[in-house]
Amino acid sequence: MKRHFSWTLEGLLVDKNEDGVIDGLSLFIDLPAELMPPGLIDFMARAGLETTALSLNFFERAGQQWAMEFQQSDVTLCEVEDNRISLFYRNPEELSSLLSEMAASGDPAVDHPEHASIRSLADIWSGSGFGEVEEASPERHLDLNISWEDEIASAQLFKELGLFAARCGLYSTSLGLPLTGNPHTAIQLTVKGGRDASVQLREENHVEVIGSRTELPAMLHVLTGQRHWTANGTFGFWEQSEKMEERQDEVWYDKAWEDISEVELAQQGLADMEGQTFDAVNVYLSEPLQVRTTLMNEWQKRYPQFGRITVRSAFKPAFHWFREELLPNLPDGVQEIRIAAREENSAGGMELPIRWIQELYPIDALVEKEVGIPKDQVVFSLLKDLPHTYEVEAILEDGTVLQIGSLEVPVTRLPYLQQAGRFVYPTTGAVQAYSSGILAEDRLVPTDRERFYSFYMEEFVPDLIGKLAGYKKGQGHDRPFFDRMEIRVTMSEEEEKLGIDEERTSSMEALYEDLYFNTLDVFADWGIEMEGKPFDAPGGIHPFMEVEKGASPKASIKLYKWNDEQPKPLKTVKLIFKKDRFTHVEMLKGSQHIHNELEAASALPVTTTASGTTVLGGYSFQGRPIPVTEHVLPSGETFDAALKLTLFKRTVLYEAGHHANEISSTPAVERLAEDIQSYLKEMNVVVIPLANPDGTALLHKMTETHPEWKHHAARYNAVGLEFSQARYKDTVFGEANVMPHLMKKWAPDVIVDNHGIPGHEWVQPFAGYNSPPRFPVSYFLPSAKLYGIARLPQTGDTLHTDNLESIIRSISGKVAGTIIAEENRYWKERFRKYGNDWLPEVFPIEEGGHLHFYRHQIVTPKHPTSAVLRYPEWIAADIVSEAADEVVQGVALERCIEGQRLFNEGVLDAVVKQPIRLDSTGLAKKRQRPLQINS
């Protein structure tokens, strides 16, 4: 039976992988050698538009279900019968018109989204298809004109031009027709005769393909078959290679520091009192217990006139006092311990009112572990006018209340950076002598940490800022002042893992965190002073701490030079063709002409599994590859169009390893990949498994010495930049370009950013003891094993909020009944006891079923580079997971990985069955965005 031609003919458009999405055309075009109807170019572009995948075999017999035949006749028409499309034509002009009409059937493309541009020949096949776009969008309009000189026309050239048009159509969601004879289109492709076989960029958006009549078909064939270097190919990699210049380390400024130890200072204090008699002497030193015990025994023998000598820790002194002095002497029958702490209110202090409760953490768990009294029977109270820093009572079985100890903690006062009126009151060393229970001598002994920190902040940092006074515009924001600062410190300090959760006492880790974050705050303040906005990217700040028992304190500081030469604009203007490939490239780097030979080599070996293909997303600043794994149902075709796959199927994009010290996300997305196959009939899943390889390299270096510290210095990129803030900008930091590239390529529905929080207590004695003041809430201890954060645009409608709540319910359902839910309950109680019960605004909890989920702006990120804030009109949800993984090992890490996997899988479950509302008739294909996600 004869039928009319339609793009819905059964068997013409095929669904090879049976997912309900067109992924190929089964059509052989039996084009006579003498025919070159321009309308066929339009037809082939439309063929590309109709599918998500394509093989360029239209002119080869390869078992296709349909065939197109041409026959001259006294009438021009199309007949469809028995899987044959028969085109009868009176003359080539009418045939061309017929083909153009077939190409244009259906509704026209009325609203034209942004079209791509070709500013460099490397843009012909970009990472997102044909041409490059300024901004990501789920729609891509093809506005192209193809022309050729009659003198070089041939049947084979015409076929190659048709295949080129088909591939261009593949990457488009709408077409502007015709593709020939239209000099007003945005992009012009001209084929012309000439001796110099090459592809040339005459001006922006005007590409010329030049060669002899015999060379041109071969050159176009090679050009049409190229793949971008981020799509399993090499096209354009010559530009990336030019950008990856070798960088040399150059020390720009260095400084050394050393001093006598605090032990020697304490010894001097004792010697000064040698002629006096006391009942007791308490010495506070920031030294490990073994060293303090040795000193206590030595001094007890040397100074018998001092009575009982006790050497206490100057780091978390109350915790160690309780552990070393109260617990071993606890009377029998104790049922409850009550610890009263003085409310902190020192003048201008950065410390929280509950600072002295924080300094006890995790004393209740230690009591339970060592003497068996349950954690919830260790009770805190906070009193304003307590005579001592701490007073401790023990409640016996019969209700008797015993006073078992009191402690006055020695503190000092330091300025917080150079901020007028703001101070910190860290615990410090001391020699305290008592006669008849009265304090007779009280001498502060600055700890080694305190003296180095004071040198660093009061001498070194001001000197450094003075040397940076001639900085260039933009430094401190998109570019650093220095490449990195390496701070190497050796001291004798407390360093012990407690065997309670992941907790440890580590005064050197605390110093590390102070040096890192407080330096960032210094530069932030300087930026506000100089420009009215913070300098958030001063350069890498890399503290390397060495704990050496009994060592005298010493440090060295080296700054490595940043080469602030601005990269010159780079574009490819000519590709030279010989025999069967492009052999040379000509580029303009600024005004400099560069001529390079092209090697026929792959940019990166491709890894393909049953569900995914790993391609390159880009290269980091230090030249490390950043892989991206694209999980889709394979089509079996030569080329796939990511944007079109998102048009017809839901797409979720995961980013892992953004902050390198948050270590569970990468293994979590790798584990997710093992179970992802069952989702791919309904959706596409794109994964950046390691977004920050330079930070990861630094983390590996730092964990060689301290494998379980938090290592926040490794969270950002190689030069200490939060590279997400450099996204969508012209930047030398390649890691910042990966997400924008994938947004252009895939236009995903949902973004999931896997992150982490500290796995153990985060203290900074020189910043108010609490976690850094730059954060609006406290991260002093984990609030959960796993929680979520929402990024919500302020659009005024409820769609994004409703989507978020649906996703939260799905994730909560995955977590319910698991060890993660159990650990979340445990950590919520710990977080309440040490923070939320006292200061709920600083230690917030926002419930989301079986996990916390923060939705309010005080916690959620507000960076304009986050996907849903940049593209609220088509992104359905943008969320962050947080697992307590900085930096944990063993069972703790395994549970963080499992928590991240459950979170990620919960997102897939929420999205996978949501209906897609298509409007894909005629020359424009689109669907309703943002995707509506219902429980």
Side-chain angles (χ1 to χ4, degrees), residues 283-302:
V283 180
Y284 290 82
L285 295 173
S286 189
E287 292 282 349
L289 178 60
Q290 182 180 350
V291 172
R292 288 188 283 112
T293 301
T294 300
L295 289 171
M296 183 175 66
N297 293 333
E298 178 185 321
W299 288 340
Q300 193 75 68
K301 291 177 183 178
R302 186 181 303 176

Side-chain angles (χ1 to χ4, degrees), residues 405-440:
S406 62
L407 181 70
E408 186 65 30
V409 177
V411 299
T412 190
R413 187 179 85 160
L414 298 174
Y416 182 67
L417 314 183
Q418 300 300 315
Q419 297 178 4
R422 300 188 79 188
F423 300 94
V424 294
Y425 293 83
T427 59
T428 189
V431 176
Q432 299 175 335
Y434 293 83
S435 293
S436 302
I438 298 173
L439 184 63

Side-chain angles (χ1 to χ4, degrees), residues 67 81-82 143 149 153 193 242 284 455 510 548 661 747 867-868 890 905 909:
E81 186 177 17
D82 297 331
D143 195 22
E149 294 178 346
E242 189 65 29
Y284 290 82
F455 157 79
E548 184 180 325
N661 66 320
V868 75
E905 201 167 281
D909 286 350

